[in-house]
Amino acid sequence: MGLNNQWMQRDLAVLWHPCTQMKDHEKLPLIPIKRGEGVWLEDFEGKRYLDAVSSWWVNVFGHANPRINQRIKDQVDQLEHVILAGFSHQPVIELSERLVKMTPEGLTRCFYADNGSSCIEVAMKMSFHYWINRGQPAKKRFVTLSNSYHGETIAAMSVGDVPLFTETYKALLLDTIKVPSPDCYLRPEGMSWEEHSRNLFAAMEQTLAEHHDTVAAVIVEPLIQGAGGMRMYHPVYLKLLREACDRYGVHLIHDEIAVGFGRTGTMFACEQAGITPDFLCLSKALTGGYLPLAACVTTDEVYSAFYDDYPTLRAFLHSHSYTGNPLACAAALATLDIFEEDNVIENNKALAQRMASATAHLADHPNVAEVRQTGMVLAIEMVKDKASKTAYPWQERRGLTVFQHALERGALLRPLGSVVYFLPPYVITPEQIDFLAEVASEGIDIATRDKVSVAVPKDFHPGFRDPG
């Protein structure tokens, strides 16, 4: 028995993995990773895998980055953790100062959580509580986009709309209002992204006109709907939404957990619309992919609604044990240093262009409906019929075939259903991008053959997207 197999057997005896049907691992080997370096992950038998999905979208500057490593090592010798209620520490103060400085004007206060889902809950609770403190308790509903995903805690699921993640838990979810997404994959032939996104805003305008008296906030994933299949839309939608939220007296929550810190081509996606949301939710790349940390950055207007004498009970009594953890804040500070010192956003433009050119040929593939890109995120949508954009039945798990082929070739490509995507660390080289394009092309060719290589179960939830 090889080392990988030994570790796999020990794992399967005791672990329950996230977003996984564990029975898959009766046939699909689990891959234990021993070490990482740069864009590479290495298993216990020395095989390497290029991490094309940044280990669930968190890693920006490579595994075992020496600059982030050193900052954490220095911090662990000084202070590992302290309660953030009534106490503070240098890393969290410096990180908050830098986030306020680098985020859009008007965002002045940082509230910390442990992960993206919890950060969404913070923003939703703050908005809801704000309206109570301002004497408008009827404003307690949330408006969200179809096909959206904001996390997997209860409130975060409530504002999501990917049935695979929400259908089972319907009875637990909040009553939210969903409007059609400006997703440009669905635009009519010949229509531009901007025109389609403008047209789709009419539904949001009508919803706010009818329901603003009972709506606390609108929540969106700006520019890219990640777990919904890397679907993308034009920044004009965000500009129109900001104007409408101001008009109707509704908060705007931007979930930039996946798309912040350069993924869309600018440091934050909202910059491309020239707007400031009322709440900016950040996580994932915030610590360079090292440690769990999330920041909900908001305005003085929101902050002031909670600032009062204690007996009024207007305070925001929300907490996490590891709020503002010094080690995580140190990793975040090192990550921000790299952004500042290495001209990352500008350098990414050349990498994004290489991703586009390396995959351009796939636009002509008979089973590829679209190759779309926003900044450092590129997605390739496989379909059964190109002309009609008819999707493959999700049960066929075509993306799984691409995933398995990529592993054989030494790449971690974990498609979202039939959507193959690149979301790599920013330290990737042009040659490594070419390698990923080659592997993806081969995998798509194999996956779109008429014969499906995996068993197809009986229909359970039509229209669900298998996460790959």
Side-chain angles (χ1 to χ4, degrees):
M1 184 184 294
L3 284 174
N4 282 346
N5 198 34
Q6 290 178 41
W7 284 106
M8 179 180 72
Q9 295 306 325
R10 288 173 64 175
D11 176 294
L12 295 175
V14 290
L15 264 69
W16 190 343
H17 288 262
C19 205
T20 300
Q21 171 47 261
M22 291 301 294
K23 191 174 181 181
D24 280 353
H25 288 307
E26 290 182 7
K27 295 181 179 179
L28 182 67
L30 186 75
I31 300 174
I33 296 299
K34 182 178 183 180
R35 62 185 298 274
E37 183 178 5
V39 298
W40 297 102
L41 296 166
E42 186 178 305
D43 67 21
F44 281 80
E45 295 174 2
K47 183 170 181 179
R48 298 202 307 169
Y49 306 87
L50 200 158
D51 188 357
V53 298
S54 296
S55 290
W56 250 342
W57 319 348
V58 299
N59 190 291
V60 281
F61 298 126
H63 299 280
N65 183 289
R67 290 149 81 178
I68 304 176
N69 287 0
Q70 190 59 52
R71 190 67 171 259
I72 294 172
K73 290 174 184 175
D74 293 343
Q75 183 60 45
V76 80
D77 287 334
Q78 229 176 10
L79 176 67
E80 83 299 336
H81 188 60
V82 63
I83 183 175
L84 208 63
F87 289 80
S88 191
H89 55 83
Q90 182 177 341
V92 78
I93 295 169
E94 291 181 348
L95 177 60
S96 302
E97 290 172 341
R98 291 178 70 172
L99 288 176
V100 165
K101 185 178 179 180
M102 70 191 298
T103 53
E105 186 177 357
L107 296 173
T108 58
R109 297 286 173 172
C110 299
F111 192 99
Y112 291 94
D114 302 325
N115 60 77
S117 297
S118 297
C119 190
I120 296 298
E121 303 257 344
V122 166
M124 291 176 67
K125 286 177 67 176
M126 273 187 182
S127 177
F128 169 81
H129 197 163
Y130 169 94
W131 294 113
I132 291 176
N133 286 353
R134 290 296 192 219
Q136 295 179 265
K139 293 173 73 66
K140 57 187 178 182
R141 300 182 76 191
F142 293 87
V143 177
T144 186
L145 300 177
S146 62
N147 195 44
S148 57
Y149 175 90
H150 297 286
E152 297 185 37
T153 48
I154 298 299
M157 276 197 298
S158 298
V159 290
D161 188 47
V162 179
L164 178 66
F165 301 108
T166 61
E167 186 74 16
T168 302
Y169 309 103
K170 248 185 193 175
L172 302 177
L173 304 184
L174 305 175
D175 175 30
T176 57
I177 303 170
K178 293 181 173 60
V179 301
S181 168
D183 170 11
C184 289
Y185 177 71
L186 304 175
R187 70 192 184 282
E189 188 175 354
M191 182 175 287
S192 70
W193 280 32
E194 180 173 356
E195 185 180 1
H196 180 71
S197 296
R198 282 185 180 277
N199 289 345
L200 265 290
F201 188 76
M204 178 67 77
E205 178 78 35
Q206 182 178 349
T207 296
L208 292 179
E210 293 177 0
H211 299 286
H212 65 273
D213 287 343
T214 60
V215 169
V218 178
I219 180 169
V220 295
E221 299 162 273
L223 304 187
I224 304 175
Q225 293 186 298
M230 296 299 167
R231 295 289 179 83
M232 304 174 184
Y233 60 95
H234 195 275
V236 70
Y237 190 92
L238 301 176
K239 187 174 187 299
L240 294 171
L241 180 57
R242 175 71 276 179
E243 293 169 353
C245 286
D246 289 342
R247 228 174 18 255
Y248 292 110
V250 170
H251 286 146
L252 176 58
I253 302 172
H254 269 208
D255 174 357
E256 295 217 19
I257 289 160
V259 301
F261 299 101
R263 290 295 183 193
T264 64
T266 49
M267 183 62 80
F268 302 107
C270 53
E271 295 174 29
Q272 297 186 37
I275 64 165
T276 300
D278 299 291
F279 302 89
L280 180 63
C281 296
L282 305 170
S283 190
K284 288 192 183 289
L286 174 58
T287 65
Y290 269 71
L291 290 164
L293 184 69
C296 178
V297 193
T298 190
T299 65
D300 272 341
E301 166 62 25
V302 172
Y303 177 79
S304 65
F306 296 82
Y307 196 89
D308 207 338
D309 295 325
Y310 185 84
T312 65
L313 297 180
R314 293 162 72 96
F316 188 58
L317 300 179
H318 179 102
S319 61
H320 298 273
S321 301
Y322 285 95
T323 295
N325 174 260
L327 299 178
C329 289
L333 286 167
T335 299
L336 297 187
D337 284 344
I338 297 172
F339 272 109
E340 286 185 8
E341 296 166 9
D342 290 9
N343 201 21
V344 174
I345 301 299
E346 188 63 31
N347 292 339
N348 279 356
K349 291 178 182 178
L351 294 175
Q353 181 55 49
R354 187 61 164 252
M355 287 166 61
S357 60
T359 56
H361 64 282
L362 286 167
D364 296 325
H365 193 285
N367 293 103
V368 169
E370 183 176 65
V371 180
R372 53 183 174 269
Q373 183 176 11
T374 298
M376 286 294 289
V377 183
L378 183 140
I380 306 153
E381 184 126 0
M382 298 185 293
V383 290
K384 184 175 182 179
D385 181 76
K386 189 182 184 85
S388 63
K389 293 186 176 179
T390 302
Y392 283 111
W394 66 267
Q395 300 92 333
E396 293 180 3
R397 305 184 74 181
R398 303 271 175 162
L400 182 62
T401 302
V402 179
F403 173 69
Q404 290 174 296
H405 172 75
L407 291 178
E408 291 172 6
R409 292 276 274 115
L412 169 51
L413 280 171
R414 192 175 191 269
L416 292 155
S418 293
V419 178
V420 179
Y421 69 92
F422 299 172
L423 200 153
Y426 303 155
V427 294
I428 195 169
T429 67
E431 294 75 22
Q432 290 165 345
I433 289 172
D434 292 346
F435 166 69
L436 287 179
E438 179 182 297
V439 171
S441 298
E442 293 170 352
I444 289 168
D445 282 343
I446 295 168
T448 55
R449 291 172 183 163
D450 290 339
K451 183 175 175 60
V452 181
S453 60
V454 293
V456 180
K458 291 181 180 178
D459 194 335
F460 178 56
H461 285 300
F464 270 34
R465 175 179 285 108
D466 186 87

